[in-house]
């Protein structure tokens, strides 16, 4: 029996009738861009995150790019300003910075959570530092209490990359409501996934929200009147309608993910495998993780992956090559981030998803425990 890493068809099959009804409603309306479905989803997602505004955009990368762009248009950033970002993030986080002619300053993550290390942030702040891009990797919030404290002391902007953290929280505050703005991805494989590309920005800043609404629509606050040079990055009516259907079930899906994670944490005993959340995480924080991914570490990662695949278990590597070692950023290839590079050589993501059954989870556990180098 093959155990898929994530079965998107099965996930969406659960809500098929509602998704079809939502699509039909949009088709029959004759209104496909910037209508009632987008407005309703934006209101509901803002309420879910606990913020005043949610602005739908075409994808998660655009969400990050447009926030930084909006801050430039509002005079809060300028070309060459430095943005501190974790070195072990997905390349999209870095792309958003460089796409705006800003300078990424990479720092090592915390060894326990893989999220940005507040102590590392303090060490690299200069008179050119203007922002922190805090990535909530794998579904766990970065230490936003410390990050916001640092930002307040140094008068820095904070942008959350919440692409993997829909619903994650700390102290009762959810991802998307910690920083000055947050970018979300609704790529199909995310905890809240569209049936295509989609994204959103959340914020409590009215001026930022207004600027983002203009930027996503050619820079137009009013039809055919363009105040700034914008782009075309809109969340369409069909994707908004389907996301609104799936948002209703997100909490229940997160609960199932937590059950799977608990089984993995309690069941995997192989000393060759390092489980997540090994350092400095209490029970309350564990429960606030939304487990977009369940990422283990193993020095024999490639052998373990092949062993599991031969047994019918699909796994993925998030991510095999860190951004500073990519050809796209060859000017950074000389940089050394030992912990980041070690992480990228050792991480392996086990099957995780809202339709993964308990029997399959137990099979993965048994196989992990039987693995020998």
């Amino acid at each position: 029996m093959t155990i898929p890493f994530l079965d998107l068809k099965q996930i969406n099959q659960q809500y098929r009738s509602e998704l079809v009804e939502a699509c039909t409603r949009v088709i029959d309306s004759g209104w496909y861009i910037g209508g009632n479905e987008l407005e309703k989803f934006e209101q509901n997602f803002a309420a879910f995150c606990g913020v005043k505004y949610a602005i739908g955009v075409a994808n998660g990368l655009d969400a990050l790019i447009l926030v930084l762009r909006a801050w430039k248009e509002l005079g809060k950033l300028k070309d060459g300003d430095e943005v501190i970002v974790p070195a072990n993030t997905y390349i999209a986080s870095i792309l958003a910075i460089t796409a705006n002619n800003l300078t990424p300053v990479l720092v090592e993550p915390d060894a326990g959570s893989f999220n940005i290390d507040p102590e590392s942030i303090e060490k690299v702040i200069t008179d050119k530092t203007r922002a922190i891009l805090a990535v909530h990797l794998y579904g766990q919030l970065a230490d936003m209490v410390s990050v916001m404290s640092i930002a307040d002391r140094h008068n820095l902007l904070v942008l959350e990359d919440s692409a993997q953290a829909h619903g994650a929280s700390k102290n009762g505050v959810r991802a998307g409501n910690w920083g000055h703005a947050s970018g979300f991805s609704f790529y199909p494989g995310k905890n809240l996934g569209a049936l295509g590309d989609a994204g959103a920005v959340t914020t409590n800043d009215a001026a930022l929200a207004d600027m983002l609404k203009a930027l996503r629509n050619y820079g137009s606050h009013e039809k055919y009147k363009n105040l700034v040079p914008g782009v075309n990055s809109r969340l369409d009516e069909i994707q908004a309608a389907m996301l609104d259907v799936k948002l209703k079930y997100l909490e229940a899906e997160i609960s199932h993910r937590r059950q799977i994670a608990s089984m993995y944490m309690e069941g995997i005993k192989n000393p060759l495998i390092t489980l997540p959340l090994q350092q400095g995480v209490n029970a309350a924080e564990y429960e606030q993780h939304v487990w977009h991914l369940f990422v283990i570490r193993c020095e024999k990662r490639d052998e373990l992956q092949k062993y599991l695949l031969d047994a019918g278990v699909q796994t993925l590597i998030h991510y095999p090559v860190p951004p500073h070692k990519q050809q796209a950023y060859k000017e950074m290839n000389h940089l050394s981030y030992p912990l980041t590079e070690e992480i990228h050589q050792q991480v392996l993501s086990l099957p995780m998803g809202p339709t993964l059954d308990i029997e399959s989870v137990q099979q993965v556990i048994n196989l992990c425990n039987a693995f020998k180098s």
Side-chain angles (χ1 to χ4, degrees), residues 72 109 224 342 365:
K72 291 182 74 176
Y224 299 132
E342 181 180 277
I365 291 170

Side-chain angles (χ1 to χ4, degrees), residues 6-57:
L6 182 68
D7 192 334
L8 292 177
K9 182 178 179 180
Q10 188 179 9
I11 290 171
N12 291 312
Q13 187 68 32
Q14 302 173 104
Y15 318 123
R16 187 180 189 281
S17 61
E18 290 184 74
L19 294 171
V20 170
E21 190 279 328
C23 289
T24 302
R25 186 173 66 247
V26 175
I27 293 168
D28 291 347
S29 76
W31 194 290
Y32 308 122
I33 298 289
N36 292 333
E37 300 293 344
L38 174 63
E39 183 178 356
K40 185 173 70 167
F41 173 67
E42 288 177 333
Q43 290 174 351
N44 289 337
F45 190 65
F48 176 82
C49 295
V51 298
K52 293 180 181 178
Y53 309 102
I55 303 94
V57 295

Side-chain angles (χ1 to χ4, degrees), residues 18 29-30 40 43 46 52 64 119 122-123 126 140 159 170 190 210 226 232 243 250 264 276 350 368 373:
E18 290 184 74
S29 76
K40 185 173 70 167
Q43 290 174 351
K52 293 180 181 178
L64 298 176
E119 291 186 7
E122 293 270 22
K123 294 176 182 176
T126 71
Q140 180 186 9
L159 171 57
K170 186 179 181 66
K190 303 299 186 183
D210 286 344
N226 305 78
N232 179 359
L243 284 166
L250 181 55
Y264 280 149
L350 299 182
C368 284
S373 61

Side-chain angles (χ1 to χ4, degrees), residues 83-102:
V83 181
I84 299 171
V85 62
N88 63 311
T89 185
Y90 182 55
I91 197 170
S93 308
I94 314 298
L95 289 170
I97 298 170
T98 58
N100 281 286
N101 294 318
L102 301 169

Side-chain angles (χ1 to χ4, degrees), residues 149-160:
S149 176
I150 293 168
D152 288 344
R153 289 199 307 274
H154 295 276
N155 193 29
L156 303 177
L157 295 164
V158 176
L159 171 57
E160 298 173 70

Side-chain angles (χ1 to χ4, degrees), residues 301-311 313 315 348:
R301 188 265 309 279
D302 294 343
E303 293 177 26
L304 175 59
Q305 185 176 40
K306 183 179 185 304
Y307 162 80
L308 291 172
L309 183 60
D310 289 345
V313 177
T315 60
L348 186 68

Side-chain angles (χ1 to χ4, degrees), residues 292-308:
H292 172 60
L293 299 171
F294 190 93
V295 182
I296 60 174
R297 288 175 64 181
C298 180
E299 290 185 10
K300 303 290 185 180
R301 188 265 309 279
D302 294 343
E303 293 177 26
L304 175 59
Q305 185 176 40
K306 183 179 185 304
Y307 162 80
L308 291 172

